[in-house]
Amino acid sequence: MSPTVPSVPRDWRVPLFLGGASIPFSLVTYLQSGSTMSLWPVVIAGLIAGYLTDDADRVGARTGFVGGLAVFWIVAEMVLLVPELTGPWWFLVAATGTSVVFAVLGVALSVLLAAVAARVGGWLAQQGGRYRPAPEA
């Protein structure tokens, strides 16, 4: 008997694909600069997701969440640097807590940007893209 592979819910397919595809591009921008990460790949993924789907708000937020997981690369570097810091114990705890807050804010910003971009993509689809009715003969 072969193991069954769980299927991905239909409303998560586009966000997982596009958000996941944006992660390497975001990481490349961070690795090239060494200090800043661009979320433009997540914005572009949100725009495409909004254009391709009917529920732009939900799909955009989900795409931003998946694409925003790239922020954890920076957070991992921050947490790995904490043991090298010197100072009282409360300072190390505060540094770790700040890393967690940074992660939450980074993912939230990614969700917001992708949701706005998805709304624009949905609007573009309605204006002249996917939703244009076929001309009558």
Side-chain angles (χ1 to χ4, degrees):
M1 181 182 265
S2 65
T4 59
V5 177
S7 65
V8 176
R10 185 179 183 102
D11 55 344
W12 274 94
R13 290 180 186 160
V14 170
L16 284 174
F17 178 74
L18 290 173
S22 72
I23 290 174
F25 294 103
S26 294
L27 290 177
V28 165
T29 64
Y30 175 68
L31 294 173
Q32 285 179 342
S33 72
S35 63
T36 60
M37 178 180 286
S38 174
L39 291 178
W40 276 108
V42 178
V43 171
I44 293 169
L47 183 73
I48 295 169
Y51 186 83
L52 293 177
T53 60
D54 296 329
D55 189 4
D57 292 333
R58 179 177 291 158
V59 171
R62 290 177 178 178
T63 302
F65 175 75
V66 173
L69 295 177
V71 170
F72 284 98
W73 185 281
I74 299 172
V75 173
E77 286 186 351
M78 291 168 63
V79 169
L80 290 174
L81 289 176
V82 168
E84 296 179 15
L85 298 175
T86 58
W89 65 271
W90 59 265
F91 180 74
L92 300 177
V93 170
T96 305
T98 303
S99 299
V100 172
V101 169
F102 175 79
V104 170
L105 291 176
V107 172
L109 178 63
S110 178
V111 167
L112 176 68
L113 291 173
V116 170
R119 188 169 277 208
V120 171
W123 178 81
L124 288 173
Q126 288 175 345
Q127 293 303 312
R130 229 172 27 88
Y131 295 114
R132 178 178 284 172
E136 296 183 25

